[in-house]
Amino acid sequence: MHPFPDDFLWGAATASHQVEGGNSLNDWWDWEHQRGRIQHGERSGDAAGWWDGAAEDDLRRAADMGHSAHRLSLEWSRLEPEPGRFDGRAFDRYREILGAARDLGLATNVTLYHFTLPRWAARRGSWLSRDLPRRFARFSGEAATRLGDLVDLWATINEPNVLAFMAYGEGRWPPGRQSALASFRVLRMLLRAHVGSRRAVRAARPDAPVGLVLNMPLFEPAHIGHPLDRAAASFQDWGFTGSVLAGLVDGKLRLPMTLFPRHEPGLAGSFDWLGVNYYGRFAVLFDPAAEKPMGRHVQQPTTRTEWVDWGQPCPRGLTASLLRAGQLGKPVYVTENGLYDNDDRARPRFLIDHVDAVADAISRGADVRGYFHWSLVDNFEWTEGWSTHFGLLALDRSTGERTPRRSAAIFERICRAGGVEAALRREVGEG
Ligand code: IFM
């Protein structure tokens, strides 16, 4: 018997800028138009055409494939193109999209901020501006007021930890800062913004479940018995994940490079659920000269590109992350889990092993309520542009045509059966 509850949510995830297309109002649009920022000089362009009508078709495909939920994000820059001016037509478009999901029987999990800032906010200093959490809270309240009847689960911010380090530490994303200090400062600002955003959503919709989505990889020492590798792995884990989880428990942020714990008002217990985005395991080798703090990652190069490393697929790491998130005592969702695998050779086995890993976490006591695969359809993968394909549906960008990959059918069987059946596991074999 599968341990998944009957009302477990099965679905896929997308994010606004990666699928909608044609939005020139945010900081990523400007970033993509700068030389050397995106592999092969690619741009999001029309993306997967969601703004122009493709969303409804993709959601229908998801429902036809047995999904019971979908995770998507709102594009702040469309909804508030100028500070304090909300665009009613953009809200209407989201009402159409979310309404379509509802009509198709898909529960909706909606993220308020998934990496892209309105241009006006970027001009005011992005997340280094003290003012932005307050503005984000105002936007969150507006969104909850206008769309809340169509939303089952709200998330404030997607992967604040990834954003802080990619955009402010490593400088690979806008605004391109390269400062460890700035990245920790921004992580604090993002958590502050999360608190204000949840408060604003709750003020508009007192019963709305509002969560936070964290990227939670497994950091392990490259050599298990080597004390310096162990120290480096623990240090990275603490800066990226541990400090945030601890802050969510007691409201104190003990980030590396700050001398004393900082009390963040309202942070303790500021979530009704936690989202876990999980891609893989990092093997950390101590190296004080490395770009990352204290060590570099030395896993096989199969799942990394020149600029991005998603970690080595490692299903037990997903179990570990879910158990760890579950210890905070609130429901947990796998809000992203996926693989860049352009020819879909490894993804079928990946899916099975990771769904089994979720089952394992549930059997061991974690209150996991849903699994969202990243992603429903191939989309614009930030610095990697269009070269890394994560979709269950392959996208032909010249025609807009979608072709389900074999993984889509495998995931459909998982969704319909409510877990991995023995026959499916046998059919897929060792991959
Ligand atoms: O595409 C991203 C997504 O926007 C955030 N999490 C990781 C995915 C794959 O890199």
Side-chain angles (χ1 to χ4, degrees):
M1 271 306 288
H2 302 304
F4 295 98
D6 288 344
D7 56 358
F8 191 83
L9 299 180
W10 295 102
T14 52
S16 54
H17 190 70
Q18 296 180 266
V19 290
E20 289 178 356
N23 179 29
S24 59
L25 298 166
N26 67 29
D27 56 346
W28 263 90
W29 184 269
D30 295 340
W31 188 253
E32 289 159 37
H33 285 74
Q34 292 172 22
R35 192 185 290 273
R37 298 300 193 189
I38 314 291
Q39 274 212 54
H40 317 304
E42 288 177 332
R43 294 174 181 172
S44 56
D46 296 332
W50 272 39
W51 200 249
D52 279 340
E56 284 85 339
D57 294 335
D58 278 342
L59 292 170
R60 186 183 36 72
R61 289 182 184 98
D64 288 348
M65 294 190 295
H67 299 197
S68 58
H70 188 77
R71 173 175 180 238
L72 54 79
S73 73
L74 304 179
E75 181 57 43
W76 182 5
S77 62
R78 288 190 195 274
L79 294 169
E80 191 179 356
E82 291 165 29
R85 181 175 73 76
F86 293 99
D87 184 334
R89 279 189 311 181
F91 274 105
D92 288 346
R93 177 68 189 124
Y94 280 116
R95 289 201 66 79
E96 287 173 1
I97 296 173
L98 293 167
R102 275 289 177 84
D103 291 347
L104 289 159
L106 297 169
T108 53
N109 182 339
V110 175
T111 300
L112 285 153
Y113 172 69
H114 192 123
F115 299 160
T116 46
L117 276 181
R119 181 176 294 119
W120 57 261
R123 288 203 176 127
R124 288 166 186 232
S126 302
W127 288 107
L128 286 164
S129 139
R130 286 184 170 278
D131 202 29
L132 203 53
R134 188 181 58 77
R135 292 180 182 275
F136 180 56
R138 184 176 60 180
F139 159 67
S140 303
E142 193 71 25
T145 304
R146 298 205 200 195
L147 303 173
D149 56 317
L150 298 172
V151 176
D152 295 297
L153 290 163
W154 287 98
T156 54
I157 298 182
N158 181 70
E159 298 180 352
N161 46 358
V162 172
L163 179 73
F165 296 113
M166 290 296 271
Y168 297 83
E170 298 188 1
R172 296 187 201 278
W173 292 0
R177 283 288 296 266
Q178 288 178 303
S179 150
L181 211 55
S183 67
F184 289 122
R185 174 142 181 243
V186 163
L187 186 53
R188 206 168 64 233
M189 293 295 273
L190 288 166
L191 293 172
R192 197 169 290 171
H194 153 74
V195 171
S197 168
R198 174 170 178 264
R199 214 170 263 153
V201 173
R202 281 307 198 83
R205 303 268 167 188
D207 299 326
V210 188
L212 175 69
V213 173
L214 290 179
N215 187 302
M216 290 181 62
L218 183 66
F219 292 94
E220 287 187 330
H223 305 100
I224 207 87
H226 197 297
L228 289 174
D229 287 0
R230 294 171 81 101
S234 302
F235 185 77
Q236 291 188 2
D237 176 73
W238 179 257
F240 201 70
T241 317
S243 56
V244 178
L245 292 177
L248 288 169
V249 172
D250 66 7
K252 290 191 193 122
L253 272 180
R254 301 165 197 84
L255 292 170
M257 307 179 81
T258 47
L259 282 180
F260 304 104
R262 290 255 201 149
H263 175 65
E264 273 303 322
L267 184 60
S270 63
F271 57 103
D272 306 299
W273 58 274
L274 264 188
V276 172
N277 290 359
Y278 178 82
Y279 287 83
R281 162 186 185 265
F282 295 120
V284 187
L285 184 79
F286 175 71
D287 176 0
E291 190 186 25
K292 295 187 192 306
M294 276 183 81
R296 60 196 157 86
H297 297 166
V298 292
Q299 61 273 6
Q300 301 296 313
T302 45
T303 52
R304 63 175 192 243
T305 60
E306 192 187 339
W307 290 341
V308 180
D309 188 347
W310 286 274
Q312 197 70 25
C314 176
R316 72 179 162 79
L318 177 55
T319 309
S321 293
L322 292 172
L323 288 168
R324 189 178 187 192
Q327 276 169 1
L328 273 60
K330 303 274 176 73
V332 176
Y333 292 83
V334 180
T335 32
E336 287 180 29
N337 170 235
L339 184 68
Y340 123 63
D341 176 23
N342 291 5
D343 55 16
D344 203 42
R345 259 191 234 161
R347 193 180 285 108
R349 186 75 226 173
F350 177 98
L351 257 169
I352 286 178
D353 290 344
H354 284 78
V355 171
D356 280 345
V358 180
D360 194 14
I362 295 174
S363 305
R364 291 162 66 182
D367 181 9
V368 188
R369 308 241 178 129
Y371 173 93
F372 294 87
H373 190 75
W374 184 269
S375 178
L376 179 59
V377 59
D378 290 342
N379 55 47
F380 178 71
E381 180 50 44
W382 310 115
T383 50
E384 311 312 290
W386 291 97
S387 58
T388 49
H389 301 170
F390 279 87
L392 294 170
L393 304 170
L395 171 70
D396 179 335
R397 291 189 62 228
S398 56
T399 61
E401 199 186 326
R402 273 73 169 158
T403 310
R405 296 199 161 98
R406 179 174 173 234
S407 292
I410 286 166
F411 190 50
E412 174 170 357
R413 286 173 63 183
I414 292 173
C415 297
R416 294 199 189 281
V420 181
E421 307 249 276
L424 179 61
R425 201 173 288 116
R426 271 197 307 276
E427 265 171 55
V428 172
E430 291 307 313

